[in-house]
Amino acid sequence: MLTGLSIRNVVLIEALDLAFARGLGVLTGETGAGKSILLDSLGLVLGDRADAGLVRAGEDLASVTATFEFAELPDALRAALADAEVDVEPGEPLIVKRRVKADGGSKAFVNDQPVSVALLREMARSLVELHGQHDDRGLVNARGHRALLDRYARAAVGEVAEAWDRWRKAEDELATAVAQVEAARAEQDLLLAHLAELAALEPVVGEEDELARARADMQKGEKLSDDLSALQHLWSGSDSALATLRGAARRLDRIANEHPLLAEALESLDRALIEAGEAEDRITAAVDALAHDPLALDRIETRLFDLRAAARKHGCTVDDLPDRMAAMRTALDAIEGGEAHIAALQRAAQEAGLDYRAKAEALSVTRAEAARRLDKAVAAELAPLKLDAAKFHTAVVRLPEDRWSSLGVDAVEFLISTNPGADFAPLAKIASGGELSRFILALKVALAEEGGAATIIFDEIDRGVGGAVASAIGERLARLASAGQLLAVTHSPQVAARGNAHYLIAKSSEGTVTRTSVMLLDQAGRQEEIARMLSGAEITAEARAQADRLLEQA
């Protein structure tokens, strides 16, 4: 609820700090005192358009700060703040601030974090519900009527939404499967041809790299063939270097015992022979690895060309070709088994559709029954509010199938007829300002709405009425406020007497400077203000006595 409102340099208000509590708060004052300035100021923090005309004359900047406190943030408000990445700790007050410059520029903040004006407008639905002479929001807006009726009926909207989601999902799965089968069937011949080509090719993952290495080795062998032949000649034959070393080793072995140096020489020669033998083996292996076989090279290059050509054709790498083959087989299998799969999906979609229809029909019945109860409840409130010639009707209309949704198959709108025999029409189109506010009050009382805005404001709901009607309005405002917070701008002493808190709005002048102030009245102040409202400029003893009676009856 709204717990504080601080205004700086807005039109006639230089500096004003107000505290609000639960229950019914009434704001009174003479015409032109500045009640509209308070509402305009509150409208700024609720996202209304910034108007440079709101900045007090001679000042550069106007600002309005509203403080809201909740035992627990409403779900819609929490979601809006989370989407905007605004952090609000549990139990922490929500402080909304708007600054307007004299040139019309404005900035908005929530808990000192800069935010967009669009966020303020989204938050406003959970913060303040304003009903005034030209209100086009809240209960007047037909877009919210279905949700209000469902809340009044305690309807199982969640079950319908879940059934709708299941039906949509089943229909989407069916449409996807049908599209896949149709696309595959259109390409069936091409798939068969491509699969036959790849099956004949038999690509293997890693084969490209192996072939490329083998080709590279053969190409190197071709370049090194003369050197390799010369090396092999050096190491083979009776006149090779290795044969000479071996002969030297045999001769040295016969005389090695004759002197230690000869034995050491033999050992060195043996080591050399071992190393030379290993070198010979490696050279032989290299000759084999680098063997240049023109026919084998041609086969390798042909294989590489075929694999890479197939990869280009299918827009993938050579290593991806086996997966492409598997995908083609899957697509062909889908064609063969697609009809059975589609039939199963069709049955599932049909069952989901029937389930949705059954739950939506049950919801329609619940809505129709609740609409009759609501019409009766509102009708009971109209006569005391001097609307006894008017009629109220909750229209529950079946929508065409293409407009069904998770909210069901109905459109809901609150309609009124203000004169006997007149057609029913939307609230805002045929009700005058005063009638509209009283219709809304009747609706609010009948709905006993839960889950609406934290604070409700009625602006001059009692315009043009008095006596018993004003008393009825005051009694209903107090009843609504008992469960939360309601602020009423009023000219009616009967309404003012019902308030838990009474704020007096006054205008004063000093020379050429005019200021608006707001004062929280004590009991004596309330008596005096209500007496003024009863008698006018000259407050009489009879007016004070009548004010006392109104306050005692409240």
Side-chain angles (χ1 to χ4, degrees):
M1 68 176 185
L2 177 66
T3 57
L5 184 65
S6 296
I7 304 172
R8 298 290 183 272
N9 298 322
V10 176
V11 193
L12 300 180
I13 299 176
E14 184 175 14
L16 181 64
D17 295 294
L18 292 174
F20 299 98
R22 292 177 64 85
L24 176 60
V26 295
L27 296 92
T28 65
E30 295 182 356
T31 301
K35 295 183 290 294
S36 63
I37 300 174
L38 283 177
L39 297 181
D40 289 343
S41 298
L42 187 58
L44 276 178
V45 295
L46 299 177
D48 287 355
R49 186 178 66 85
D51 186 348
L54 292 173
V55 182
R56 182 177 171 82
E59 300 293 338
D60 297 326
L61 181 72
S63 70
V64 181
T65 303
T67 302
F68 297 88
E69 296 186 22
F70 301 89
E72 185 176 351
L73 283 178
D75 291 341
L77 184 56
R78 184 187 300 108
L81 292 169
D83 289 344
E85 298 182 351
V86 175
D87 298 324
V88 179
E89 296 295 329
E92 180 183 10
L94 192 67
I95 301 173
V96 185
K97 187 171 186 177
R98 186 88 178 273
R99 294 174 179 168
V100 181
K101 294 181 180 180
D103 63 5
S106 75
K107 290 184 178 181
F109 304 86
V110 174
N111 287 16
D112 291 328
Q113 300 179 59
V115 299
S116 67
V117 176
L119 175 63
L120 298 188
R121 295 193 192 102
E122 186 174 359
M123 293 169 56
R125 292 193 290 268
S126 299
L127 296 176
V128 175
E129 184 179 320
L130 175 61
H131 301 292
Q133 295 296 307
H134 305 288
D135 182 36
D136 61 354
R137 295 166 292 182
L139 296 180
V140 177
N141 192 332
R143 285 179 294 182
H145 292 177
R146 181 166 51 193
L148 288 169
L149 181 63
D150 288 342
R151 193 177 299 128
Y152 177 76
R154 300 187 184 279
V157 182
E159 294 180 7
V160 175
E162 291 173 0
W164 170 264
D165 289 341
R166 288 192 295 270
W167 186 24
R168 290 299 91 207
K169 182 179 180 181
E171 290 286 357
D172 289 344
E173 290 178 352
L174 174 60
T176 299
V178 169
Q180 288 175 343
V181 169
E182 289 179 350
R185 186 178 290 114
E187 297 179 359
Q188 186 174 17
D189 292 341
L190 185 61
L191 281 172
L192 288 170
H194 285 169
L195 184 58
E197 291 175 357
L198 292 177
L201 195 59
E202 294 183 352
V204 177
V205 175
E207 181 182 10
E208 181 185 23
D209 290 341
E210 292 179 5
L211 291 172
R213 284 194 297 271
R215 183 181 65 172
D217 287 344
M218 286 188 176
Q219 289 172 338
K220 290 177 184 176
E222 184 177 11
K223 294 179 181 178
L224 300 174
S225 58
D226 292 341
D227 292 331
L228 291 173
S229 297
L231 282 171
Q232 280 187 304
H233 177 72
L234 289 174
W235 291 102
S236 61
S238 58
D239 58 345
S240 68
L242 187 55
T244 301
L245 282 175
R246 287 172 177 156
R250 287 194 295 272
R251 186 179 294 274
L252 188 56
D253 183 55
R254 289 196 296 270
I255 61 174
N257 293 330
E258 301 297 330
H259 194 278
L261 290 175
L262 293 175
E264 292 175 3
L266 180 60
E267 290 176 1
S268 297
L269 190 56
D270 286 340
R271 287 195 298 273
L273 283 169
I274 292 171
E275 293 290 336
E278 291 178 354
E280 181 183 27
D281 293 340
R282 288 189 175 91
I283 291 172
T284 301
V287 169
D288 293 338
L290 298 173
H292 173 232
D293 182 350
L295 293 177
L297 180 60
D298 184 62
R299 286 194 300 272
I300 289 173
E301 289 183 333
T302 299
R303 177 68 175 172
L304 270 174
F305 175 83
D306 291 342
L307 289 172
R308 289 172 175 171
R312 286 193 300 272
K313 182 176 182 178
H314 295 285
C316 63
T317 67
V318 172
D319 284 347
D320 288 337
L321 288 175
D323 288 339
R324 288 300 172 95
M325 292 176 65
M328 292 176 188
R329 291 191 178 98
T330 300
L332 290 169
D333 291 341
I335 296 173
E336 296 176 1
E339 294 299 332
H341 181 56
I342 288 173
L345 291 177
Q346 285 174 331
R347 288 192 297 272
Q350 185 177 21
E351 291 172 2
L354 291 173
D355 181 56
Y356 169 78
R357 284 179 169 85
K359 287 182 169 59
E361 290 291 347
L363 177 58
S364 290
V365 172
T366 299
R367 284 171 173 161
E369 293 174 350
R372 288 190 289 271
R373 294 200 311 272
L374 180 59
D375 292 350
K376 186 176 180 180
V378 173
E381 298 292 333
L382 295 180
L385 296 175
K386 203 177 178 181
L387 294 168
D388 45 312
K391 292 183 179 180
F392 176 84
H393 175 58
T394 304
V396 180
V397 180
R398 182 66 168 255
L399 292 169
E401 188 168 343
D402 61 355
R403 293 181 59 193
W404 292 0
S405 71
S406 60
L407 299 174
V409 297
D410 310 303
V412 176
E413 186 172 10
F414 300 147
L415 305 174
I416 60 171
S417 169
T418 54
N419 297 301
D423 292 335
F424 283 95
L427 288 172
K429 289 188 177 181
I430 63 172
S432 65
E435 286 177 330
L436 180 59
S437 293
R438 280 178 279 148
F439 261 113
I440 289 171
L441 178 58
L443 257 176
K444 294 292 291 185
V445 172
L447 288 167
E449 182 192 350
E450 297 179 2
T455 299
I456 302 171
I457 298 177
F458 279 96
D459 181 18
E460 300 187 3
I461 188 175
D462 48 19
R463 180 184 291 266
V465 300
V469 176
S471 294
I473 290 174
E475 187 274 330
R476 282 156 177 78
L477 290 175
R479 196 193 315 169
L480 275 178
S482 63
Q485 182 185 54
L486 191 150
L487 301 176
V489 177
T490 179
H491 290 288
S492 167
Q494 291 88 347
V495 173
R498 289 281 184 173
N500 302 108
H502 190 150
Y503 303 88
L504 175 61
I505 305 171
K507 184 167 63 175
S508 61
S509 298
E510 296 178 11
T512 59
V513 178
T514 302
R515 294 184 175 86
T516 290
S517 62
V518 181
M519 179 188 305
L520 176 62
L521 300 177
D522 57 15
Q523 189 67 13
R526 292 190 68 189
Q527 180 210 45
E528 196 71 5
E529 170 62 6
I530 292 173
R532 181 199 64 77
M533 298 170 74
L534 286 165
S535 63
E538 183 180 349
I539 303 175
T540 64
E542 291 80 1
R544 289 189 177 95
Q546 178 65 17
D548 285 339
R549 284 192 291 271
L550 287 175
L551 287 168
E552 289 172 1
Q553 293 169 3

